Amino acid sequence: MAAYRPADRMVLPPVNAEKYQIVCHYCAVGCGYHVYKWPEGKAGGLLPDQNALGVDYTKQIAPLSGDWIAPAHHTVVTERDGQRYHIAIVPDKECVVNKGHHSARGGTLGSSLYRPDGPTHTRLTHPLVYRSTKQSPTTWDDAIDLTARVIYGSILRDGNDSIFMRVFDHGGGGGGFENNWAVGKFFFNAVQTINCGIHNRPAYNSEVHASRDMGVPEWNYAYVDAELTDTIVLWGTNSYEAQTNFYLVHMLPNLQGSTVKGKEAARPGEQVGPGRMIIIDPRRTSTVVVSEQAGGKERVLHLQLKPGTDIALANAIARVVYEREWHDKDFVANRVEAETVQPFLEQSLQIGKSLDEVLAEAENITGLSRAQIEQAASWIAETKSDGSRPRAIFLYEKGVIWGLKNYQNVGSIVNLALLTGNFGKPGTGCGRLGGHQEGYVRPAYRGPRPAPYIDDLLSQGQGNVFYVAGCNPAITTLNAQRMRETLQTRGKLVRDALDANFAADNATKAQAILEATRQGGLFIIVQDIYLTATAQYAHVVFPAAAWGESPITSINGERRLRLDEKFMDPPGIAEPDWKIFGMLAQRIKALAQADGNTDIVQRFSGFEWTTAEEVFLEGGASFADGVKASTERYKGVDYNFLKAAGNNGIQTPVTIVNGKPQGRVRYFENGEPFYTESGKAKMLPTPWPGFPAIVQEQINKYPYFLTNGRNNNWQTLYNDMNIPFFAERTPISFIEISPEDAKKEALQAGDLVRLFNDYGETTAYTVISTSVKPGMIFMLFAHPNTTANSLTTPYVDPEVIIPYYKGSAVGLQRIGRLADLDARLTYQPNNFEKVV
Ligand SMILES: Nc1nc2c(c(=O)[nH]1)N[C@H]1C(S)=C(S)[C@@H](COP(=O)(O)OP(=O)(O)OC[C@H]3O[C@@H](n4cnc5c(=O)[nH]c(N)nc54)[C@H](O)[C@@H]3O)O[C@H]1N2
Ligand SMILES: Nc1nc2c(c(=O)[nH]1)N[C@H]1C(S)=C(S)[C@@H](COP(=O)(O)OP(=O)(O)OC[C@H]3O[C@@H](n4cnc5c(=O)[nH]c(N)nc54)[C@H](O)[C@@H]3O)O[C@H]1N2
Ligand SMILES: [Mo]
């Protein structure tokens, strides 16, 4: 039987409850919420003048109305002074992003908060240092001192690049402009290493180098554009689950025709009607099923291509558009660098071959029919009967970014958007849907492009120190079994050194650690809010303050900059990330001062921040003035301004007009130049490269193609494992397998299977689903106990060092059944289709 029983009654916030503005910290969409906080023992009443929401609770309240407070929205916290408060986190009806809606993640923000008397008591409360065979709680001074001595000693002996890092660079929880500026200043200005990774990839780079090289910043559209467009192209994304309220609140209404009035106003004189959607995904996802049900099958085209064949598909669609002369000739002539067009026509569109030849080849590569490819071209670009051009918005995410070849994957979609002139007008754009929110502000990275592939280097024994903050490479990096082996074996040498020197002081211990690094040891520091799978290998663990425990600012997928206020204390003695880097820098500076090392003193100066806003403003000031402003530029904005701007914030980049900050809705309007030297966009030659040898070898050897991704919970489930609603639903990872293959393998829904290949093994339970075709398995990717990354290969796009996370191959063996799962789970597929 299920153990989770939601409460059947709620304490309401009284009229005088404290109220804060906040944005959900999980995904890029960034829905607005209000936090209500009031002392335990107090309660509001049912009548509108008796509660803080001003709602009449004597009547039935509709879910997702913004007036409803569910048990999962609520918790009771204990502050550092011992006072206890109710907290309810309720979606904001006035926020234009979510209009009162919440996703499964946002709907559980309340229950994710730290409470010493609930499941989230597992939050880190104190720094931990490896001492006498285990990680032991200690003071900040002690943990910082040991860490500072090792980093300082390593820089002196082996140079800046002996320090490796893998740290968040995003907005939302575990990020924001404040913490990113601190990270950048620490690693790029002070440590000055080039051996850096980002939370979700093993090198310091962009997920969309191609788009930027083409002059197209990836955050160029606004959510309203999905309401105003004729055709929404969702490429390699499962938006219903991964960008839920952008999809539900802005995309679906367009398919259902309820945004037609807005279209008439924004696009005067054009023929408009309900929108359509093209979904390009090798799986029949919940997004496909929900779109078909809500918008009608005739408005949805699902191109269920063979995985890894996106480039061939994009090229073929573009070829049809070009052949039919549906492309935007004026746009291409005026806004694209002429010399980049011919190589695109030759290599991407293969104009040297006949259309029939090209389409036959594309059918063969993608597994789609010519009719489907032609229909996609027509929905994107066929001139309407009144002679007007249709508008399309191209939205892509991890099926493309972590696809077969990142650079050309992204480039081939941007090509299509350029060819069809879909920039700079309401209802157009081409960019990422997003992962976390954004919040990038840093001094320049010093390394080359392509940047070093740090997982490779670490596994080869390079580096003395590995600093991991706000991410979990033991489960989320590619070929993660190799990462865990590296952390295990190299980490042990340092543990042995510490065990051998238990009686010594920090200075001696630091020497012993540095000595161990000569023999291949690796000193591991993890800064997180939980004792993650990676933190279990750490010699030092720093406890960070989470969202809501210190102010942070971020932008969402339409560049909406907002302030998340602090509304509660961090657990124990945890501190915000920026402050931890500040403490560490100040300690290294003091060590260098004692040595008279003026170079290091100077590098580690300027970290004496006392408030989050100070860090925010310092980062903001680093944005250069001028027209070619970065997407994130917020110079001129402070916390007071953001408080007043509320949950709708301001859309970056910010410019100051008559002394007032001004944002913008979308890019490239009114002839705004593209971000190249010429001001014109570049097209990119994007021939389909075929499968890389490393991956092909697995495909040849193992029977099932393995892809992976998300569902309704939050990837590494760091909070979710403490929220019964999620933890009970996904106690371990699952696979989706087709009914045909399940039959072949004699698998029943719920069977525990072992998956394996040349890179590792893991387990999962079985869901039988029509989402995948025979020969393919989908796996939830980042469950802390059973990660799909034990099965991904070390392959990265060599041009940009971006992983091909989405493609591997596996063998499968049935292990048996788990009785406790049988008692609780239905094993129904996510796409709600009944399997017969
Ligand atoms: N196979 C496969 N692998 C993938 C992907 C895939 O699609 N397939 N996707 C990749 C992508 S896009 C991503 S984003 C990654 C996911 O990897 P991560 O970005 O690492 O995942 P998150 O779950 O967001 O984890 C954030 C970590 O930050 C911690 N945290 C939260 N708040 C704070 C804070 O305020 N301070 C600090 N210091 N820590 C905090 C959490 O406890 C958690 O450990 O996985 C990547 N790996
Ligand atoms: N609920 C929830 N929402 C999230 C997150 C979460 O963990 N949970 N994480 C956030 C983060 S950090 C990120 S990066 C985003 C990711 O958001 P998405 O990219 O939308 O999510 P994924 O599930 O990783 O992958 C999307 C789809 O790519 C498909 N795919 C696999 N291979 C291919 C291919 O070769 N071609 C194409 N065209 N498609 C392919 C998969 O079948 C999958 O349905 O989600 C964000 N939102
Ligand atoms: Mo992500």
Side-chain angles (χ1 to χ4, degrees), residues 23-24 26-32 95-98 171-172 177 218-223 245-246 250 432-439 553-562 631-632 647-652 664-665:
V23 175
C24 172
Y26 288 115
C27 91
V29 179
C31 298
C95 178
V96 293
V97 175
N98 54 312
F177 287 105
E218 66 275 21
W219 306 110
N220 48 59
Y221 65 91
Y223 290 171
N245 285 327
F246 180 19
H250 304 275
R432 288 187 55 195
L433 275 155
H436 299 80
Q437 283 162 70
E438 299 290 310
T553 51
S554 304
I555 59 170
N556 79 343
E558 54 172 354
R559 293 163 281 103
R560 209 171 275 283
L561 170 64
R562 281 139 328 152
T631 326
E632 265 118 338
N647 278 335
N648 290 334
I650 181 170
Q651 281 174 284
T652 59
R664 68 155 80 166
V665 176

Side-chain angles (χ1 to χ4, degrees), residues 26-28 105 199-200 207 234-239 241-244 280-283 285 303 305-310 396-400 402-404 409 432-436 705 707-716 776 778 781 804 806-807:
Y26 288 115
C27 91
R105 275 91 53 220
H199 68 110
N200 61 4
E207 290 180 16
L234 292 182
W235 208 308
T237 172
N238 182 10
S239 292
E241 294 188 80
Q243 297 87 18
T244 304
I280 297 147
D281 197 308
R283 289 192 305 142
T285 56
L303 300 179
L305 78 181
K306 290 186 199 162
T309 64
D310 301 85
Y396 60 86
E397 199 47 47
K398 289 297 159 3
V400 169
W402 305 146
L404 178 82
N409 268 8
R432 288 187 55 195
L433 275 155
H436 299 80
F705 188 93
T707 196
N708 55 72
R710 291 150 174 89
N711 76 346
N712 248 331
N713 56 33
W714 184 257
Q715 41 205 25
T716 62
M776 182 169 182
F778 169 86
F781 86 99
Y804 181 25
K806 294 297 189 198

Side-chain angles (χ1 to χ4, degrees), residues 247 284 287-297 300 302 833:
Y247 172 82
R284 187 170 160 74
T287 304
V288 176
V289 175
V290 174
S291 302
E292 285 179 353
Q293 284 177 8
K297 282 197 172 178
V300 180
H302 177 207
E833 283 182 321

Side-chain angles (χ1 to χ4, degrees), residues 637-649:
V637 163
D638 62 13
Y639 278 12
N640 269 339
F641 173 88
L642 290 176
K643 254 184 123 150
N647 278 335
N648 290 334

Side-chain angles (χ1 to χ4, degrees), residues 82 87 129 140 301 341 442 471 494 686 695 700 707 765 790 809:
I87 288 186
V129 166
W140 278 109
L301 174 63
V341 176
R442 279 179 189 175
C471 63
V494 170
T686 52
V695 179
N700 296 344
T707 196
Y765 67 82
S790 296

Side-chain angles (χ1 to χ4, degrees), residues 701-758:
K701 207 160 161 186
Y702 296 99
Y704 296 102
F705 188 93
L706 178 79
T707 196
N708 55 72
R710 291 150 174 89
N711 76 346
N712 248 331
N713 56 33
W714 184 257
Q715 41 205 25
T716 62
L717 294 112
Y718 61 90
N719 283 324
D720 297 348
M721 289 311 277
N722 298 307
I723 300 173
F725 170 77
F726 287 114
E728 272 205 282
R729 283 178 0 151
T730 324
I732 60 170
S733 195
F734 60 84
I735 57 161
E736 294 174 357
I737 188 168
S738 71
E740 295 85 344
D741 286 334
K743 198 165 168 199
K744 201 166 78 190
E745 300 283 348
L747 281 180
Q748 304 290 320
D751 282 355
L752 190 73
V753 294
R754 191 174 72 86
L755 304 171
F756 50 88
N757 62 16
D758 291 354

